[in-house]
Amino acid sequence: MNLSRPARITLRIAAGLGFAVIYIPLFLVLINSLNPDRSSGWPPPGLTFGWWGDAWRSSGARDALWTSVKAGLGATAIALVLGTLIAFACQRYRFFGREAVSFAVVLPIALPGIVTGVALNTAFRTVLEPLGVGLGLFTVVVGHATFCIVVVFNNVIARLRRMPGSYEEAAMDLGAHTFRTFVDVTFPLLRSALVAGALLAFALSFDEIVVTTFTAGPGVQTLPVWIYSNMARPQQAPVVNVVAAVLVLLSVIPIYLAQRLSSDTASGSRL
């Protein structure tokens, strides 16, 4: 598409403004984590790493980080299994209600988080509490898995649509049974899509706060919830800025790796 010079300039300005709205606040978080002023006055009178040491020594932040990691790993494991199985069922088999199943899997990520949180809270209190299972880390993992399944499902089904079934048919013609065909043929072709989906699912779970608020029981606090609950405490403001900055930096890694893996998968499918 050939655009006129004024159109190109307008698009560049619009893109620059869009990136500024997104990334300038994140940059300010990083600057405030180095601000020696406890009230985060602007401009900062200097730079210090003292708050980073305080954040490292904060037992509340460390416990919340470990809880987020456990919840993310649990939700990712569930999402990998269920998302992959559903993707195979919807792509490789024809059955009544297939489109409805696909829609039902994708729907949770489109719903407002507060709707999902209220629905899960009601379901857990109605179904699990009479069985003696209260709100806690388990319910957080299940709650996160409801929307993490979507990213795994989308990655796997997209890869399956580009992957010809002739490879698996050829392996079976040569005498390989179903499990052997999956291990030697299907899984290597799906591996990058699975890793990309897992990274995205973990990042999505790690950053979640709304659903966590409704599904976590007393004493279960993930890192985003810890940040939110400590924002209004003046003495904790510098430590919160540090933890938020670390969260931003950590979130970049899985997103970048997932994007690279998805790009490599797409390139490989065109060879």
Side-chain angles (χ1 to χ4, degrees):
M1 179 185 295
N2 293 323
L3 299 175
S4 63
R5 182 177 176 82
R8 291 198 301 270
I9 293 174
T10 302
L11 286 175
R12 288 170 183 170
I13 292 174
L17 290 174
F19 282 120
V21 169
I22 296 172
Y23 289 106
I24 286 179
L26 299 180
F27 178 74
L28 292 178
V29 170
L30 293 174
I31 295 298
N32 278 330
S33 70
L34 302 173
N35 191 342
D37 187 359
R38 184 176 289 275
S39 62
S40 299
W42 192 264
L47 298 176
T48 180
F49 282 97
W51 305 126
W52 288 72
D54 291 344
W56 177 256
R57 290 186 293 270
S58 173
S59 60
R62 291 200 309 271
D63 293 342
L65 173 62
W66 179 232
T67 301
S68 288
V69 171
K70 290 188 291 186
L73 292 176
T76 300
I78 295 174
L80 275 174
V81 175
L82 296 183
T84 302
L85 292 176
I86 298 171
F88 266 93
C90 291
Q91 177 59 28
R92 293 295 177 84
Y93 300 97
R94 301 292 181 266
F95 55 91
F96 176 76
R98 185 181 62 148
E99 296 300 327
V101 171
S102 180
F103 175 77
V105 173
V106 177
L107 181 61
I109 204 169
L111 292 175
I114 192 168
V115 174
T116 303
V118 170
L120 289 171
N121 181 275
T122 303
F124 291 148
R125 291 186 181 278
T126 303
V127 178
L128 295 183
E129 284 195 353
L131 299 176
V133 181
L135 297 180
L137 181 61
F138 172 74
T139 54
V140 172
V141 171
V142 173
H144 288 191
T146 58
F147 52 81
C148 289
I149 289 174
V150 181
V151 293
V152 176
F153 172 81
N154 285 338
N155 273 274
V156 174
I157 201 168
R159 186 67 185 98
L160 288 174
R161 286 170 179 167
R162 297 193 299 265
M163 190 173 72
S166 57
Y167 296 156
E168 294 160 310
E169 293 172 1
M172 290 183 177
D173 288 341
L174 293 173
H177 52 76
T178 302
F179 180 73
R180 192 67 186 177
T181 300
F182 176 81
V183 172
D184 292 343
V185 178
T186 310
F187 179 73
L189 294 173
L190 283 177
R191 185 166 45 211
S192 57
L194 290 171
V195 174
L199 290 171
L200 288 173
F202 182 83
L204 196 61
S205 171
F206 196 85
D207 292 339
E208 175 57 40
I209 184 172
V210 178
V211 173
T212 307
T213 303
F214 285 93
T215 56
V220 178
Q221 196 173 49
T222 62
L223 195 58
V225 173
W226 183 89
I227 292 174
Y228 182 76
S229 62
N230 283 273
M231 283 183 63
R233 300 177 182 177
Q235 295 299 317
Q236 286 288 87
V239 176
V240 168
N241 284 326
V242 173
V243 175
V246 171
L247 195 59
V248 170
L249 296 175
L250 290 178
S251 298
V252 170
I253 298 173
I255 299 299
Y256 173 76
L257 293 176
Q259 184 184 36
R260 288 297 302 271
L261 287 169
S262 298
S263 301
D264 293 344
T265 300
S267 300
S269 66
R270 292 193 292 267
L271 295 177

